[in-house]
Amino acid sequence: MNKKSIVVQKYGGTSVGDADKIKRVAARIIDKKKSGKSLVVVVSAPGNTTDNLIAMADSISPDPEIREMDMLLATGEQQGIALVAMAIHEQGYKAISLTGQQVGIMTDSAHSRARIKSINTKKLKKELDRDNIVIVAGFQGISAEENITTLGRGGSDLSAVALAAVLDAEVCEIYTDVDGIFSTDPSIAPKAQKIDRISYDEMLEFSSAGAKVLQSRSVEVAKKNNIKVHIKSSYTEEEKNSGTIIMKKTKDLEQVAVRGVTVDKNQVRISIIGVSDTPGVAAKIFGELAKENINVDMIIQSSAHETGINDISFTVKSEMLKRTVEICSHIKNNLKAQKVITDKNVAKISIIGVGMRSHAGVAARMFELLSENNINIEMISTSEIKISCVIDSAKGKSAVKILHKAFCE
Ligand code: ADP
Ligand code: ASP
Ligand code: MG
């Protein structure tokens, strides 16, 4: 079989939200198949299934074991793949659905945020050789201990890109409910512009800054393996579906200072109050969190030189709040800190663009715009191509509109 003829597609939850949508997805998959490609299709849990399962678990236990949570959440994707396979059969084509375990997507054992270690392509290739369209459950894998694991919210994107990498696919097509990557979330700013091409680095910043259209870990894998990723709409006719192509950096990508604006409301701030101003404190706190695979985003340390006492604040994803507080409360005792406090009413807004490397004054303009609109900046972080500010979450959307209008319209 010509390896290069493999295409990996991924359909997100909204694209398979009801029976009609599933039938339309099946028709789209069959059209691709008819063009002579071998097809591996990753499917997410239909509609709000994952959120509903989380709510159901919450109503049973305030603190369910994460092994059982993964067992539960993985069932959402299993529904999606079976339904899509059935719809393909109904339209007269061969398809087989496979769970992460059946494919052999091996992960570490960090439940709810597992990392893919390897993917066995034997079964996939066997089914492709049988001329099957292979439908794979996104977001899930299996650990060495044979426990079902999940890859973090939005993890089906990662499943798709990782499969494209191991199968040496010619492209990984991500079908979703918007026409591509926009200069900001089109549901917030109607004047958002579709971006035709974007570099891996910019996309990585978009994703890690909250543009949930693509999970950030999937962009990392795409970059590392040089996978061509094409974001498209699952509603638009294929001829008009130009979407957004994610690619390596090119010269023309460097001309715009700000390519887009994002808001991430899925953030919480944790502060450890009253830690002593001595070497090793930050290493201890963030070392313990790293051991538990908890990604810390922004960090701020306010020091009071006279007293020798510091406050350390940082942000993590909301779903990590509980675990993070547990760890911090434990460290607090060891460090003899005064208390641990949390704030859920925060949002991170960011402006992103590779052009910022060569355009001075962008940060100053961003701070000015926020101040003119009476939006207080609580934390700041920058990279070469991104500036992020933590603000009050109630002002998140209006901040996006203001920044998008000033920089992108
Ligand atoms: P799927 O169910 O296909 O995985 P998601 O809901 O995870 O879809 O991601 C698609 C959503 O991402 C869009 O509906 C849009 O509201 C949101 N989004 C946020 N930022 C952007 C952006 N910059 N460009 C496009 N979509 C964005
Ligand atoms: N169903 C999972 C989620 O809602 C994975 C995904 O959609 O990519 O996060
Ligand atoms: Mg998604």
Side-chain angles (χ1 to χ4, degrees):
M1 187 174 46
N2 173 10
K3 274 194 194 171
K4 279 291 170 192
S5 69
I6 297 178
V7 168
V8 174
Q9 295 190 331
K10 177 253 169 179
Y11 292 89
T14 41
S15 307
V16 291
D18 61 35
D20 281 341
K21 287 181 179 168
I22 291 175
K23 288 177 194 170
R24 265 188 278 146
V25 160
R28 196 180 284 275
I29 294 170
I30 290 169
D31 276 348
K32 192 71 170 195
K33 173 74 181 159
K34 283 185 193 156
S35 74
K37 307 292 180 190
S38 290
L39 265 185
V40 173
V41 180
V42 173
V43 177
S44 295
N48 295 327
T49 310
T50 310
D51 288 335
N52 294 342
L53 290 170
I54 292 172
M56 174 97 91
D58 261 3
S59 66
I60 288 173
S61 163
D63 190 18
E65 279 188 19
I66 45 176
R67 179 192 181 278
E68 304 309 329
M69 266 319 267
D70 276 358
M71 184 67 103
L72 177 69
L73 296 191
T75 63
E77 269 60 22
Q78 208 169 320
Q79 294 172 30
I81 53 170
L83 292 167
V84 170
M86 285 175 201
I88 294 173
H89 297 158
E90 204 51 41
Q91 293 176 39
Y93 277 76
K94 286 173 65 175
I96 183 167
S97 64
L98 298 173
T99 63
Q101 174 172 21
Q102 286 174 319
V103 170
I105 300 179
M106 303 303 301
T107 72
D108 62 18
S109 52
H111 285 287
S112 82
R113 53 194 186 283
R115 291 190 169 268
I116 298 178
K117 294 190 124 176
S118 65
I119 300 180
N120 188 345
T121 56
K122 211 169 131 198
K123 173 111 180 128
L124 286 168
K125 287 188 173 155
K126 197 163 126 196
E127 295 301 343
L128 290 176
D129 285 343
R130 288 179 175 154
D131 209 29
N132 265 316
I133 298 168
V134 186
I135 316 290
V136 179
F139 178 56
Q140 59 178 260
I142 180 108
S143 68
E145 300 80 27
E146 299 195 337
N147 287 315
I148 291 176
T149 52
T150 64
L151 311 176
R153 296 304 304 265
S156 298
D157 299 328
L158 176 61
S159 309
V161 174
L163 282 164
V166 294
L167 291 167
D168 205 8
E170 65 175 58
V171 62
C172 179
E173 297 178 325
I174 306 275
Y175 285 90
T176 184
D177 62 348
V178 286
D179 278 324
I181 310 296
F182 282 73
S183 51
T184 192
D185 187 337
S187 70
I188 299 179
K191 286 197 177 156
Q193 294 289 319
K194 182 168 80 67
I195 299 168
D196 294 332
R197 279 151 197 268
I198 189 166
S199 66
Y200 292 119
D201 288 336
E202 272 180 312
M203 192 62 228
L204 205 49
E205 298 285 13
F206 263 79
S207 294
S208 60
K212 71 166 180 164
V213 59
L214 206 54
Q215 194 214 32
S216 59
R217 282 167 55 198
S218 72
V219 187
E220 275 168 30
V221 174
K223 181 183 175 189
K224 196 166 152 214
N225 295 280
N226 204 14
I227 308 292
K228 182 176 162 193
V229 180
H230 198 165
I231 315 287
K232 291 174 163 187
S233 161
S234 49
Y235 306 125
T236 305
E237 275 173 59
E238 211 43 35
E239 301 73 56
K240 296 180 190 153
N241 210 357
S242 59
T244 300
I245 295 176
I246 308 175
M247 56 194 287
K248 275 193 190 164
K249 187 180 78 171
T250 67
K251 261 199 167 166
D252 62 343
L253 287 170
E254 291 201 286
Q255 284 159 5
V256 188
V258 178
R259 184 155 310 263
V261 182
T262 61
V263 59
D264 188 354
K265 289 193 161 191
N266 188 32
Q267 295 262 317
V268 284
R269 180 177 39 206
I270 290 135
S271 306
I272 308 184
I273 308 293
V275 290
S276 73
D277 190 10
T278 46
V281 170
K284 172 81 184 152
I285 296 169
F286 298 111
E288 290 297 319
L289 294 171
K291 263 193 228 158
E292 289 288 323
N293 252 345
I294 294 173
N295 266 333
V296 171
D297 189 2
M298 288 199 205
I299 303 175
I300 202 162
Q301 174 171 313
S302 47
S303 47
H305 290 300
E306 317 79 55
T307 57
I309 296 285
N310 287 333
D311 297 340
I312 296 183
S313 296
F314 57 92
T315 57
V316 294
K317 281 188 191 301
S318 310
E319 58 264 29
M320 292 299 150
L321 174 64
K322 215 163 118 264
R323 189 78 198 103
T324 308
V325 169
E326 276 166 19
I327 295 168
C328 290
S329 303
H330 184 70
I331 304 171
K332 181 197 94 177
N333 298 337
N334 287 350
L335 294 179
K336 300 198 170 54
Q338 287 159 15
K339 57 183 172 183
V340 176
I341 53 176
T342 61
D343 184 357
K344 292 182 188 168
N345 299 320
V346 293
K348 180 175 71 170
I349 46 159
S350 310
I351 55 173
I352 297 151
V354 284
M356 277 190 214
R357 287 189 184 125
S358 48
H359 289 72
V362 181
R365 181 79 189 114
M366 178 183 188
F367 303 152
E368 230 169 58
L369 284 161
L370 293 175
S371 127
E372 281 163 12
N373 288 279
N374 212 13
I375 298 173
N376 188 38
I377 301 172
E378 298 172 18
M379 291 167 114
I380 299 172
S381 84
T382 60
S383 79
E384 240 193 325
I385 63 170
K386 180 181 74 179
I387 305 160
S388 300
C389 299
V390 168
I391 60 168
D392 176 359
S393 64
K395 298 195 170 163
K397 280 192 183 175
S398 59
V400 166
K401 286 182 189 157
I402 292 158
L403 296 177
H404 190 265
K405 188 155 188 267
F407 288 113
C408 303
E409 287 174 19

mmCIF file of all heavy atoms in Angstrom, residues 208-249:
data_model
loop_
_atom_site.group_PDB
_atom_site.id
_atom_site.type_symbol
_atom_site.label_atom_id
_atom_site.label_comp_id
_atom_site.label_asym_id
_atom_site.label_seq_id
_atom_site.Cartn_x
_atom_site.Cartn_y
_atom_site.Cartn_z
ATOM 1 N N SER A 208 -2.445 27.530 23.295
ATOM 2 C CA SER A 208 -2.135 27.553 24.724
ATOM 3 C C SER A 208 -2.731 28.798 25.379
ATOM 4 O O SER A 208 -2.899 28.844 26.591
ATOM 5 C CB SER A 208 -0.635 27.441 24.977
ATOM 6 O OG SER A 208 0.017 28.506 24.360
ATOM 7 N N ALA A 209 -3.108 29.788 24.553
ATOM 8 C CA ALA A 209 -3.728 30.990 25.119
ATOM 9 C C ALA A 209 -5.247 30.867 25.161
ATOM 10 O O ALA A 209 -5.929 31.828 25.472
ATOM 11 C CB ALA A 209 -3.313 32.215 24.318
ATOM 12 N N GLY A 210 -5.772 29.710 24.798
ATOM 13 C CA GLY A 210 -7.208 29.504 25.024
ATOM 14 C C GLY A 210 -8.078 29.308 23.803
ATOM 15 O O GLY A 210 -9.283 29.112 23.944
ATOM 16 N N ALA A 211 -7.508 29.374 22.583
ATOM 17 C CA ALA A 211 -8.329 29.139 21.383
ATOM 18 C C ALA A 211 -8.600 27.641 21.287
ATOM 19 O O ALA A 211 -7.794 26.894 20.748
ATOM 20 C CB ALA A 211 -7.598 29.643 20.139
ATOM 21 N N LYS A 212 -9.731 27.208 21.810
ATOM 22 C CA LYS A 212 -9.904 25.765 22.001
ATOM 23 C C LYS A 212 -10.130 25.010 20.697
ATOM 24 O O LYS A 212 -10.270 23.785 20.712
ATOM 25 C CB LYS A 212 -11.045 25.487 22.971
ATOM 26 C CG LYS A 212 -12.421 25.772 22.434
ATOM 27 C CD LYS A 212 -13.461 25.150 23.340
ATOM 28 C CE LYS A 212 -14.846 25.417 22.811
ATOM 29 N NZ LYS A 212 -15.851 24.565 23.389
ATOM 30 N N VAL A 213 -10.122 25.740 19.591
ATOM 31 C CA VAL A 213 -10.335 25.097 18.293
ATOM 32 C C VAL A 213 -9.315 23.971 18.028
ATOM 33 O O VAL A 213 -9.616 23.019 17.318
ATOM 34 C CB VAL A 213 -10.360 26.174 17.172
ATOM 35 C CG1 VAL A 213 -9.070 26.964 17.117
ATOM 36 C CG2 VAL A 213 -10.703 25.608 15.822
ATOM 37 N N LEU A 214 -8.161 24.043 18.650
ATOM 38 C CA LEU A 214 -7.166 22.970 18.513
ATOM 39 C C LEU A 214 -6.413 22.818 19.837
ATOM 40 O O LEU A 214 -5.908 23.808 20.373
ATOM 41 C CB LEU A 214 -6.178 23.355 17.398
ATOM 42 C CG LEU A 214 -5.460 22.243 16.660
ATOM 43 C CD1 LEU A 214 -6.432 21.228 16.075
ATOM 44 C CD2 LEU A 214 -4.610 22.822 15.540
ATOM 45 N N GLN A 215 -6.349 21.599 20.343
ATOM 46 C CA GLN A 215 -5.663 21.374 21.625
ATOM 47 C C GLN A 215 -4.162 21.649 21.475
ATOM 48 O O GLN A 215 -3.561 21.228 20.479
ATOM 49 C CB GLN A 215 -5.898 19.914 22.064
ATOM 50 C CG GLN A 215 -5.533 19.644 23.512
ATOM 51 C CD GLN A 215 -4.974 18.255 23.710
ATOM 52 O OE1 GLN A 215 -4.312 17.710 22.822
ATOM 53 N NE2 GLN A 215 -5.203 17.678 24.872
ATOM 54 N N SER A 216 -3.566 22.342 22.440
ATOM 55 C CA SER A 216 -2.179 22.786 22.223
ATOM 56 C C SER A 216 -1.206 21.613 22.083
ATOM 57 O O SER A 216 -0.271 21.672 21.291
ATOM 58 C CB SER A 216 -1.730 23.750 23.304
ATOM 59 O OG SER A 216 -1.811 23.166 24.561
ATOM 60 N N ARG A 217 -1.444 20.538 22.818
ATOM 61 C CA ARG A 217 -0.498 19.409 22.694
ATOM 62 C C ARG A 217 -0.519 18.815 21.288
ATOM 63 O O ARG A 217 0.478 18.303 20.804
ATOM 64 C CB ARG A 217 -0.827 18.341 23.740
ATOM 65 C CG ARG A 217 -0.302 18.738 25.132
ATOM 66 C CD ARG A 217 -0.872 17.878 26.213
ATOM 67 N NE ARG A 217 -0.665 16.470 25.982
ATOM 68 C CZ ARG A 217 -1.364 15.496 26.590
ATOM 69 N NH1 ARG A 217 -2.294 15.808 27.458
ATOM 70 N NH2 ARG A 217 -1.109 14.239 26.335
ATOM 71 N N SER A 218 -1.661 18.918 20.619
ATOM 72 C CA SER A 218 -1.728 18.388 19.252
ATOM 73 C C SER A 218 -0.860 19.237 18.316
ATOM 74 O O SER A 218 -0.256 18.715 17.380
ATOM 75 C CB SER A 218 -3.174 18.328 18.752
ATOM 76 O OG SER A 218 -3.675 19.621 18.494
ATOM 77 N N VAL A 219 -0.791 20.532 18.603
ATOM 78 C CA VAL A 219 0.029 21.410 17.752
ATOM 79 C C VAL A 219 1.516 21.103 17.972
ATOM 80 O O VAL A 219 2.314 21.079 17.036
ATOM 81 C CB VAL A 219 -0.258 22.901 18.039
ATOM 82 C CG1 VAL A 219 0.461 23.792 17.035
ATOM 83 C CG2 VAL A 219 -1.751 23.185 18.018
ATOM 84 N N GLU A 220 1.862 20.813 19.232
ATOM 85 C CA GLU A 220 3.258 20.439 19.527
ATOM 86 C C GLU A 220 3.665 19.203 18.734
ATOM 87 O O GLU A 220 4.736 19.148 18.136
ATOM 88 C CB GLU A 220 3.417 20.096 21.015
ATOM 89 C CG GLU A 220 3.655 21.280 21.900
ATOM 90 C CD GLU A 220 3.509 20.906 23.377
ATOM 91 O OE1 GLU A 220 3.786 19.756 23.745
ATOM 92 O OE2 GLU A 220 3.100 21.785 24.156
ATOM 93 N N VAL A 221 2.784 18.211 18.735
ATOM 94 C CA VAL A 221 3.094 16.962 18.015
ATOM 95 C C VAL A 221 3.162 17.226 16.507
ATOM 96 O O VAL A 221 4.037 16.694 15.811
ATOM 97 C CB VAL A 221 2.046 15.867 18.349
ATOM 98 C CG1 VAL A 221 2.263 14.624 17.512
ATOM 99 C CG2 VAL A 221 2.105 15.519 19.830
ATOM 100 N N ALA A 222 2.270 18.077 16.013
ATOM 101 C CA ALA A 222 2.281 18.397 14.581
ATOM 102 C C ALA A 222 3.591 19.085 14.209
ATOM 103 O O ALA A 222 4.226 18.752 13.201
ATOM 104 C CB ALA A 222 1.100 19.302 14.246
ATOM 105 N N LYS A 223 4.014 20.011 15.056
ATOM 106 C CA LYS A 223 5.254 20.743 14.776
ATOM 107 C C LYS A 223 6.457 19.798 14.781
ATOM 108 O O LYS A 223 7.276 19.805 13.870
ATOM 109 C CB LYS A 223 5.431 21.848 15.820
ATOM 110 C CG LYS A 223 6.669 22.674 15.591
ATOM 111 C CD LYS A 223 6.906 23.715 16.654
ATOM 112 C CE LYS A 223 8.243 24.393 16.367
ATOM 113 N NZ LYS A 223 8.677 25.272 17.426
ATOM 114 N N LYS A 224 6.501 18.989 15.816
ATOM 115 C CA LYS A 224 7.648 18.091 15.980
ATOM 116 C C LYS A 224 7.763 17.116 14.806
ATOM 117 O O LYS A 224 8.859 16.782 14.366
ATOM 118 C CB LYS A 224 7.455 17.314 17.291
ATOM 119 C CG LYS A 224 8.690 16.660 17.784
ATOM 120 C CD LYS A 224 8.532 16.215 19.224
ATOM 121 C CE LYS A 224 9.422 15.029 19.476
ATOM 122 N NZ LYS A 224 8.846 14.096 20.419
ATOM 123 N N ASN A 225 6.626 16.673 14.299
ATOM 124 C CA ASN A 225 6.646 15.666 13.234
ATOM 125 C C ASN A 225 6.364 16.265 11.853
ATOM 126 O O ASN A 225 6.202 15.531 10.889
ATOM 127 C CB ASN A 225 5.614 14.576 13.544
ATOM 128 C CG ASN A 225 5.972 13.798 14.792
ATOM 129 O OD1 ASN A 225 6.807 12.914 14.756
ATOM 130 N ND2 ASN A 225 5.368 14.176 15.915
ATOM 131 N N ASN A 226 6.297 17.610 11.824
ATOM 132 C CA ASN A 226 6.045 18.306 10.565
ATOM 133 C C ASN A 226 4.788 17.786 9.844
ATOM 134 O O ASN A 226 4.807 17.509 8.647
ATOM 135 C CB ASN A 226 7.281 18.176 9.667
ATOM 136 C CG ASN A 226 7.355 19.299 8.662
ATOM 137 O OD1 ASN A 226 6.643 20.294 8.802
ATOM 138 N ND2 ASN A 226 8.161 19.131 7.635
ATOM 139 N N ILE A 227 3.719 17.657 10.596
ATOM 140 C CA ILE A 227 2.460 17.169 10.024
ATOM 141 C C ILE A 227 1.683 18.351 9.465
ATOM 142 O O ILE A 227 1.492 19.362 10.149
ATOM 143 C CB ILE A 227 1.558 16.512 11.114
ATOM 144 C CG1 ILE A 227 2.317 15.451 11.897
ATOM 145 C CG2 ILE A 227 0.264 15.964 10.518
ATOM 146 C CD1 ILE A 227 2.666 14.250 11.129
ATOM 147 N N LYS A 228 1.218 18.203 8.231
ATOM 148 C CA LYS A 228 0.354 19.247 7.665
ATOM 149 C C LYS A 228 -1.030 19.102 8.286
ATOM 150 O O LYS A 228 -1.665 18.054 8.174
ATOM 151 C CB LYS A 228 0.280 19.066 6.152
ATOM 152 C CG LYS A 228 -0.547 20.097 5.450
ATOM 153 C CD LYS A 228 -0.448 19.863 3.939
ATOM 154 C CE LYS A 228 -1.560 20.567 3.217
ATOM 155 N NZ LYS A 228 -1.668 20.102 1.824
ATOM 156 N N VAL A 229 -1.468 20.146 8.984
ATOM 157 C CA VAL A 229 -2.785 20.094 9.634
ATOM 158 C C VAL A 229 -3.701 21.095 8.915
ATOM 159 O O VAL A 229 -3.322 22.245 8.677
ATOM 160 C CB VAL A 229 -2.694 20.466 11.137
ATOM 161 C CG1 VAL A 229 -4.072 20.410 11.789
ATOM 162 C CG2 VAL A 229 -1.743 19.522 11.865
ATOM 163 N N HIS A 230 -4.875 20.629 8.552
ATOM 164 C CA HIS A 230 -5.822 21.469 7.813
ATOM 165 C C HIS A 230 -7.119 21.538 8.622
ATOM 166 O O HIS A 230 -7.779 20.526 8.818
ATOM 167 C CB HIS A 230 -6.063 20.828 6.435
ATOM 168 C CG HIS A 230 -6.654 21.763 5.436
ATOM 169 N ND1 HIS A 230 -6.675 21.511 4.091
ATOM 170 C CD2 HIS A 230 -7.257 22.962 5.591
ATOM 171 C CE1 HIS A 230 -7.266 22.530 3.469
ATOM 172 N NE2 HIS A 230 -7.621 23.410 4.358
ATOM 173 N N ILE A 231 -7.428 22.727 9.138
ATOM 174 C CA ILE A 231 -8.670 22.899 9.918
ATOM 175 C C ILE A 231 -9.773 23.302 8.954
ATOM 176 O O ILE A 231 -9.610 24.251 8.177
ATOM 177 C CB ILE A 231 -8.528 24.053 10.954
ATOM 178 C CG1 ILE A 231 -7.220 23.985 11.707
ATOM 179 C CG2 ILE A 231 -9.728 24.095 11.889
ATOM 180 C CD1 ILE A 231 -7.121 22.913 12.696
ATOM 181 N N LYS A 232 -10.879 22.585 9.004
ATOM 182 C CA LYS A 232 -11.981 22.856 8.057
ATOM 183 C C LYS A 232 -13.317 22.791 8.768
ATOM 184 O O LYS A 232 -13.420 22.240 9.867
ATOM 185 C CB LYS A 232 -11.990 21.786 6.974
ATOM 186 C CG LYS A 232 -10.835 21.829 6.013
ATOM 187 C CD LYS A 232 -10.957 20.614 5.127
ATOM 188 C CE LYS A 232 -10.140 20.711 3.881
ATOM 189 N NZ LYS A 232 -10.415 19.592 2.999
ATOM 190 N N SER A 233 -14.346 23.254 8.066
ATOM 191 C CA SER A 233 -15.697 23.177 8.627
ATOM 192 C C SER A 233 -16.362 21.865 8.226
ATOM 193 O O SER A 233 -16.233 21.425 7.082
ATOM 194 C CB SER A 233 -16.526 24.345 8.099
ATOM 195 O OG SER A 233 -17.886 24.057 8.269
ATOM 196 N N SER A 234 -17.084 21.273 9.151
ATOM 197 C CA SER A 234 -17.806 20.047 8.780
ATOM 198 C C SER A 234 -19.173 20.378 8.203
ATOM 199 O O SER A 234 -19.956 19.484 7.921
ATOM 200 C CB SER A 234 -17.929 19.103 9.973
ATOM 201 O OG SER A 234 -18.401 19.782 11.078
ATOM 202 N N TYR A 235 -19.455 21.666 8.021
ATOM 203 C CA TYR A 235 -20.749 22.054 7.440
ATOM 204 C C TYR A 235 -20.610 22.616 6.021
ATOM 205 O O TYR A 235 -21.529 22.554 5.236
ATOM 206 C CB TYR A 235 -21.443 23.105 8.325
ATOM 207 C CG TYR A 235 -21.573 22.656 9.770
ATOM 208 C CD1 TYR A 235 -21.084 23.422 10.814
ATOM 209 C CD2 TYR A 235 -22.189 21.443 10.085
ATOM 210 C CE1 TYR A 235 -21.203 22.995 12.135
ATOM 211 C CE2 TYR A 235 -22.317 21.015 11.407
ATOM 212 C CZ TYR A 235 -21.816 21.801 12.424
ATOM 213 O OH TYR A 235 -21.933 21.382 13.723
ATOM 214 N N THR A 236 -19.435 23.206 5.722
ATOM 215 C CA THR A 236 -19.255 23.868 4.420
ATOM 216 C C THR A 236 -18.982 22.843 3.326
ATOM 217 O O THR A 236 -18.305 21.844 3.564
ATOM 218 C CB THR A 236 -18.059 24.857 4.523
ATOM 219 O OG1 THR A 236 -18.317 25.729 5.619
ATOM 220 C CG2 THR A 236 -17.874 25.668 3.266
ATOM 221 N N GLU A 237 -19.526 23.130 2.107
ATOM 222 C CA GLU A 237 -19.249 22.245 0.964
ATOM 223 C C GLU A 237 -17.740 22.146 0.757
ATOM 224 O O GLU A 237 -17.029 23.154 0.843
ATOM 225 C CB GLU A 237 -19.790 22.886 -0.322
ATOM 226 C CG GLU A 237 -21.236 22.627 -0.606
ATOM 227 C CD GLU A 237 -21.644 23.472 -1.811
ATOM 228 O OE1 GLU A 237 -21.032 23.300 -2.885
ATOM 229 O OE2 GLU A 237 -22.535 24.313 -1.633
ATOM 230 N N GLU A 238 -17.266 20.982 0.381
ATOM 231 C CA GLU A 238 -15.828 20.729 0.307
ATOM 232 C C GLU A 238 -15.113 21.688 -0.679
ATOM 233 O O GLU A 238 -14.016 22.143 -0.412
ATOM 234 C CB GLU A 238 -15.599 19.259 -0.043
ATOM 235 C CG GLU A 238 -14.361 18.605 0.502
ATOM 236 C CD GLU A 238 -13.972 18.874 1.966
ATOM 237 O OE1 GLU A 238 -14.850 19.019 2.828
ATOM 238 O OE2 GLU A 238 -12.767 18.932 2.223
ATOM 239 N N GLU A 239 -15.771 22.021 -1.793
ATOM 240 C CA GLU A 239 -15.130 22.893 -2.803
ATOM 241 C C GLU A 239 -14.838 24.283 -2.216
ATOM 242 O O GLU A 239 -13.894 24.950 -2.615
ATOM 243 C CB GLU A 239 -16.021 23.102 -4.046
ATOM 244 C CG GLU A 239 -16.432 21.841 -4.813
ATOM 245 C CD GLU A 239 -17.492 21.033 -4.052
ATOM 246 O OE1 GLU A 239 -18.532 21.605 -3.729
ATOM 247 O OE2 GLU A 239 -17.245 19.844 -3.761
ATOM 248 N N LYS A 240 -15.678 24.707 -1.287
ATOM 249 C CA LYS A 240 -15.503 26.061 -0.725
ATOM 250 C C LYS A 240 -14.790 26.018 0.619
ATOM 251 O O LYS A 240 -14.637 27.023 1.293
ATOM 252 C CB LYS A 240 -16.882 26.714 -0.527
ATOM 253 C CG LYS A 240 -17.611 26.945 -1.818
ATOM 254 C CD LYS A 240 -18.967 27.586 -1.533
ATOM 255 C CE LYS A 240 -19.808 27.607 -2.795
ATOM 256 N NZ LYS A 240 -21.244 27.594 -2.528
ATOM 257 N N ASN A 241 -14.371 24.812 1.009
ATOM 258 C CA ASN A 241 -13.877 24.607 2.373
ATOM 259 C C ASN A 241 -12.364 24.820 2.451
ATOM 260 O O ASN A 241 -11.610 23.887 2.740
ATOM 261 C CB ASN A 241 -14.247 23.172 2.784
ATOM 262 C CG ASN A 241 -14.487 23.026 4.278
ATOM 263 O OD1 ASN A 241 -14.327 23.978 5.036
ATOM 264 N ND2 ASN A 241 -14.847 21.828 4.696
ATOM 265 N N SER A 242 -11.915 26.064 2.211
ATOM 266 C CA SER A 242 -10.454 26.273 2.140
ATOM 267 C C SER A 242 -9.800 26.166 3.522
ATOM 268 O O SER A 242 -8.641 25.786 3.641
ATOM 269 C CB SER A 242 -10.150 27.622 1.512
ATOM 270 O OG SER A 242 -10.753 28.635 2.286
ATOM 271 N N GLY A 243 -10.527 26.506 4.577
ATOM 272 C CA GLY A 243 -10.029 26.325 5.934
ATOM 273 C C GLY A 243 -8.729 27.045 6.236
ATOM 274 O O GLY A 243 -8.401 28.070 5.631
ATOM 275 N N THR A 244 -8.007 26.521 7.195
ATOM 276 C CA THR A 244 -6.707 27.084 7.592
ATOM 277 C C THR A 244 -5.661 25.978 7.552
ATOM 278 O O THR A 244 -5.892 24.894 8.098
ATOM 279 C CB THR A 244 -6.755 27.624 9.042
ATOM 280 O OG1 THR A 244 -7.741 28.644 9.117
ATOM 281 C CG2 THR A 244 -5.404 28.187 9.477
ATOM 282 N N ILE A 245 -4.542 26.272 6.911
ATOM 283 C CA ILE A 245 -3.452 25.283 6.900
ATOM 284 C C ILE A 245 -2.388 25.714 7.911
ATOM 285 O O ILE A 245 -1.969 26.881 7.933
ATOM 286 C CB ILE A 245 -2.845 25.149 5.491
ATOM 287 C CG1 ILE A 245 -3.912 24.573 4.545
ATOM 288 C CG2 ILE A 245 -1.603 24.255 5.501
ATOM 289 C CD1 ILE A 245 -3.493 24.472 3.113
ATOM 290 N N ILE A 246 -2.001 24.771 8.749
ATOM 291 C CA ILE A 246 -0.938 25.052 9.725
ATOM 292 C C ILE A 246 0.360 24.498 9.159
ATOM 293 O O ILE A 246 0.415 23.338 8.729
ATOM 294 C CB ILE A 246 -1.266 24.418 11.083
ATOM 295 C CG1 ILE A 246 -2.673 24.837 11.509
ATOM 296 C CG2 ILE A 246 -0.249 24.838 12.138
ATOM 297 C CD1 ILE A 246 -3.141 24.183 12.773
ATOM 298 N N MET A 247 1.340 25.333 9.127
ATOM 299 C CA MET A 247 2.564 24.988 8.406
ATOM 300 C C MET A 247 3.784 25.595 9.098
ATOM 301 O O MET A 247 3.653 26.319 10.076
ATOM 302 C CB MET A 247 2.461 25.549 6.995
ATOM 303 C CG MET A 247 2.202 27.053 7.070
ATOM 304 S SD MET A 247 1.679 27.823 5.560
ATOM 305 C CE MET A 247 3.194 27.800 4.693
ATOM 306 N N LYS A 248 4.971 25.288 8.509
ATOM 307 C CA LYS A 248 6.191 25.902 9.040
ATOM 308 C C LYS A 248 6.172 27.401 8.766
ATOM 309 O O LYS A 248 5.460 27.858 7.894
ATOM 310 C CB LYS A 248 7.389 25.306 8.308
ATOM 311 C CG LYS A 248 7.876 24.022 8.902
ATOM 312 C CD LYS A 248 9.223 23.723 8.304
ATOM 313 C CE LYS A 248 9.678 22.336 8.649
ATOM 314 N NZ LYS A 248 10.777 21.896 7.797
ATOM 315 N N LYS A 249 7.021 28.122 9.468
ATOM 316 C CA LYS A 249 7.095 29.574 9.284
ATOM 317 C C LYS A 249 7.454 29.949 7.837
ATOM 318 O O LYS A 249 8.295 29.315 7.223
ATOM 319 C CB LYS A 249 8.177 30.115 10.213
ATOM 320 C CG LYS A 249 8.253 31.594 10.263
ATOM 321 C CD LYS A 249 9.353 32.041 11.195
ATOM 322 C CE LYS A 249 10.722 31.912 10.547
ATOM 323 N NZ LYS A 249 11.782 32.530 11.322
#
